[in-house]
Amino acid sequence: MKAWTAYAGASLVLVAACAGLAGAATGGAATRAIWLSAGLAWVLQLIAFALLVGVRRQASLFMFGWVGGMGLRFLTLGVLAYFGTRSTALPAEPLLISFVAFLFGLILLEPVFLKRGPRAS
């Protein structure tokens, strides 16, 4: 729980800072698309990281947790791409590019916090 809480706080700061900078560089609907993908990526990463933290004690289940999290990310990207390209509410390009960028940055942050707490022997 300690690792997940620390990850949630650090990732929130990272996502908010990056979304704020990207939003300031763009404008209008693109800024809304960036903030939407930032929030979606953050919530998705919290779920995927919780799954990974939950199975890190059992070495036989760790790969299942990792693959499950990656599958969840790809599924979400596919659903977002499907609906994002068919809707005119938000521009699809900033929505999808920023979503992938946020996921990538948050995935790179995972190992730092995965080392915290009890591990498998």
Side-chain angles (χ1 to χ4, degrees), residues 8-25 31 34-35 38-39 42 102 106:
S11 62
L12 179 61
V13 169
L14 177 69
V15 166
C18 291
L21 288 172
T31 300
I34 290 169
W35 278 101
W42 184 69
F102 286 123
L106 292 173

Side-chain angles (χ1 to χ4, degrees), residues 30-51:
T31 300
R32 290 190 305 274
I34 290 169
W35 278 101
L36 175 66
S37 54
L40 184 60
W42 184 69
V43 169
L44 178 65
Q45 277 298 120
L46 291 182
I47 295 167
F49 190 70
L51 178 64

Side-chain angles (χ1 to χ4, degrees), residues 86-112:
R86 282 159 178 70
S87 172
T88 57
L90 295 172
E93 295 86 0
L95 180 71
L96 296 174
I97 290 171
S98 61
F99 181 72
V100 170
F102 286 123
L103 282 181
F104 181 71
L106 292 173
I107 288 170
L108 290 178
L109 191 62
E110 280 182 354
V112 174

